[in-house]
Amino acid sequence: AIAAASAVAGLAASKLRVSAEKGAARRLAMVIDLQRCTGCRACAVACKAEHNVPLGAFRSYVSQVELVYASTINRHFVPRMCNQCDRPACTKVCPVGATSKREDGAVLVRKDRCIGCRYCTVACPYGARSFKWRRVASGDGFDWPARKYGVVDKCDLCVHRLDKGIEPACVNTCPAKARVFGDLNDSESEVSRLVSGEAVTTLVPELGTRPSVFYINLHHDVSHASLGAGSRLDVVQVNVRPPVEA
């Protein structure tokens, strides 16, 4: 109930900035600062509360990667979600057109079209999709719809909030302010300034999908290892060579 209340309270907290460039289409993006992230997983809880996500399924989660060399272990937390790719692999394989990309960059799944074949789940290199195996009833006291089952589900940047000018639930909830969300085409937005001015990267950029989720201080080995978790709750350990001293 606390998590749900937190997510609902966020509705009035952070409004999306309106683009200063008249006539420019929005290009939604998120920057996640791993120097700020503490691995508290409040983002994952807020997401589950906002969307009535059942146990065992996730739209947003946090990977924990431990880089090991000699007797030293460096722990890294990597918040994960759909990367809202500019060139999404998922849209190319869906046989019924249930997965599509909006003009503003949000990648959506139409539950009324999805036939549950899960081709998109296999095509996604980021492990961002889960499958609704059973019906989930509406929540007591909250305006939650009964979720359709037998379909694929994933992060959609909380489009029901975006269309009202409100930021995604995970952004509002993060106590460390590790997430920044906005319009890349708005040169005055914080997310645009971070992407153009900070040393940001994406998860495994060599895949060519051009994600719209960027990370600050993402270690190369962590990027690859976070994709190799067998479960969204796994802790991944990677043996690496110590950094070379100059």
Side-chain angles (χ1 to χ4, degrees), residues 43-211:
C43 52
V45 175
C47 179
K48 289 178 77 72
E50 182 77 17
H51 297 280
N52 194 19
V53 180
L55 291 174
F58 297 86
R59 281 178 158 221
S60 174
Y61 59 99
V62 180
S63 293
Q64 181 175 323
V65 178
E66 295 178 348
L67 299 184
V68 182
Y69 53 87
S71 60
T72 303
I73 297 179
N74 289 328
R75 181 172 297 163
H76 301 257
F77 297 106
V78 185
R80 300 277 305 283
M81 54 188 282
C82 173
N83 282 254
Q84 314 298 333
C85 301
D86 190 41
R87 297 174 179 172
C90 54
T91 59
K92 300 175 183 178
V93 299
C94 181
V96 293
T99 295
S100 60
K101 185 164 75 78
R102 296 202 322 183
E103 185 180 2
D104 59 12
V107 178
L108 310 181
V109 177
R110 285 191 54 174
K111 305 297 192 301
D112 58 328
R113 285 190 178 182
C114 180
I115 58 175
C117 68
R118 286 168 281 175
Y119 287 178
C120 58
T121 304
V122 176
C124 175
Y126 304 107
R129 295 178 175 236
S130 58
F131 190 72
K132 290 290 190 284
W133 290 99
R134 57 188 181 277
R135 184 183 299 276
V136 181
S138 58
D140 294 334
F142 297 99
D143 188 19
W144 279 335
R147 303 298 300 276
K148 184 178 180 181
Y149 64 100
V151 296
V152 169
D153 192 35
K154 72 169 198 70
C155 164
D156 58 7
L157 294 177
C158 292
V159 289
H160 63 292
R161 294 166 65 108
L162 297 184
D163 291 343
K164 297 178 181 179
I166 304 169
E167 290 184 334
C170 60
V171 178
N172 278 348
T173 302
C174 180
K177 304 301 180 184
R179 294 176 180 239
V180 177
F181 182 78
D183 179 8
L184 276 182
N185 286 341
D186 177 6
S187 60
E188 298 299 318
S189 68
E190 185 177 359
V191 71
S192 180
R193 290 196 297 266
L194 286 172
V195 171
S196 61
E198 290 279 350
V200 298
T201 187
T202 59
L203 284 174
V204 198
E206 58 266 29
L207 293 176
T209 56
R210 295 175 58 179

Side-chain angles (χ1 to χ4, degrees), residues 61-65 80 126-127 222-237:
Y61 59 99
V62 180
S63 293
Q64 181 175 323
V65 178
R80 300 277 305 283
Y126 304 107
V222 172
S223 174
H224 286 73
S226 66
L227 299 181
S231 163
R232 288 173 170 84
L233 302 179
D234 281 350
V235 177
V236 181
Q237 284 196 341

